[in-house]
Amino acid sequence: EDQVTQSPEALRLQEGESSSLNCSYTVSGLRGLFWYRQDPGKGPEFLFTLYSAGEEKEKERLKATLTKKESFLHITAPKPEDSATYLCAVQVYSGGYQKVTFGIGTKLQVIP
Amino acid sequence: EAGVAQSPRYKIIEKRQSVAFWCNPISGHATLYWYQQILGQGPKLLIQFQNNGVVDDSQLPKDRFSAERLKGVDSTLKIQPAKLEDSAVYLCASSRDRNLLEYFGPGTRLTVL
């Protein structure tokens, strides 16, 4: 069974204090790994897709990286508006279609 | 472009009652998903449609949940009868490519009392 573990479950940072969120996975035949941001009362907002080990993608203060066993979401000099829950999800193929399994997320709070 | 629309946004029902949720995907998106997100957990896939055909409903509790996507556009998800453990946010998502999962709606928060 595909498993996705995110850590820490919650993270509190001071504004400007850089850190990383971890997503480790156990799957058969990873096709892709997704990162999302979810604000309270809203649906997940797509951030990145990573397909192969060594791949990196950036968007503003966020950078996502991928290895064969885990992915990191690096947050550089965060601002209060970066506060949200960050979800990681793994994509595999099953029966010709994708199957996506989510982690429980990391709740990030950035304090001014 | 307009996003994924869902209604209602909130619903409170008694256990054993029925409830239905509606989703209007982004125009032209062939793939539509329904996810269940219980508080403090990640979303879990209930059903995936490609146009108006079901691709994956392996995690849909078929004794009480049903879903349809008429004409390959709008979709409805129904629960009958509801149980306390069905309290969750029901998310609809759509994508132009069956290998992507990019656009989620705002969700419907269901509370079963």
Side-chain angles (χ1 to χ4, degrees):
Chain A
E1 184 179 330
D2 301 332
Q3 287 193 333
V4 181
T5 303
Q6 291 189 246
S7 62
E9 289 190 10
L11 181 62
R12 198 174 183 194
L13 299 174
Q14 290 291 133
E15 184 173 1
E17 179 186 2
S18 301
S19 189
S20 296
L21 313 183
N22 177 263
C23 171
S24 63
Y25 57 88
T26 306
V27 299
S28 258
L30 180 76
R31 189 186 183 279
L33 187 140
F34 304 138
W35 281 99
Y36 299 87
R37 169 193 172 124
Q38 187 171 27
D39 292 295
K42 296 188 177 181
E45 174 191 344
F46 174 78
L47 295 173
F48 304 110
T49 304
L50 301 167
Y51 290 110
S52 56
E55 188 175 0
E56 297 183 354
K57 288 195 176 171
E58 290 188 62
K59 180 180 180 179
E60 297 180 353
R61 294 176 292 281
L62 301 177
K63 183 170 79 172
T65 62
L66 181 65
T67 72
K68 289 186 177 180
K69 294 183 179 180
E70 58 192 349
S71 176
F72 292 93
L73 184 65
H74 307 277
I75 304 176
T76 302
K79 297 182 177 181
E81 53 262 41
D82 295 322
S83 297
T85 295
Y86 290 85
L87 295 166
C88 162
V90 294
Q91 179 194 47
V92 299
Y93 258 133
S94 176
Y97 288 87
Q98 69 167 353
K99 180 180 176 183
V100 177
T101 302
F102 282 83
I104 65 171
T106 292
K107 186 174 183 179
L108 173 66
Q109 183 184 15
V110 182
I111 304 162
Chain B
E1 62 183 354
V4 177
Q6 290 188 247
S7 67
R9 291 296 315 278
Y10 306 92
K11 190 75 177 178
I12 300 174
I13 62 173
E14 300 277 340
K15 61 183 179 184
R16 291 188 289 273
Q17 285 187 325
S18 303
V19 65
F21 312 127
W22 173 82
C23 173
N24 180 229
I26 293 173
S27 177
H29 283 194
T31 310
L32 185 147
Y33 311 82
W34 282 102
Y35 278 83
Q36 180 193 58
Q37 187 173 24
I38 294 172
L39 186 64
Q41 298 184 17
K44 183 185 85 170
L45 179 69
L46 293 175
I47 189 166
Q48 177 181 346
F49 292 94
Q50 184 68 21
N51 296 306
N52 61 347
V54 175
V55 168
D56 183 358
D57 63 357
S58 58
Q59 297 188 84
L60 187 73
K62 297 180 186 64
D63 57 334
R64 298 184 300 106
F65 286 66
S66 64
E68 61 181 5
R69 190 182 184 195
L70 298 176
K71 300 181 181 178
V73 183
D74 293 6
S75 178
T76 56
L77 176 70
K78 297 179 181 178
I79 308 175
Q80 180 180 14
K83 293 185 175 181
L84 296 177
E85 58 261 36
D86 298 331
S87 293
V89 175
Y90 291 85
L91 295 162
C92 179
S94 72
S95 62
R96 61 188 185 281
D97 183 321
R98 67 185 190 187
N99 298 315
L100 299 173
L101 182 57
E102 292 180 308
Y103 301 100
F104 281 86
T108 296
R109 180 176 297 276
L110 173 67
T111 302
V112 182
L113 302 175

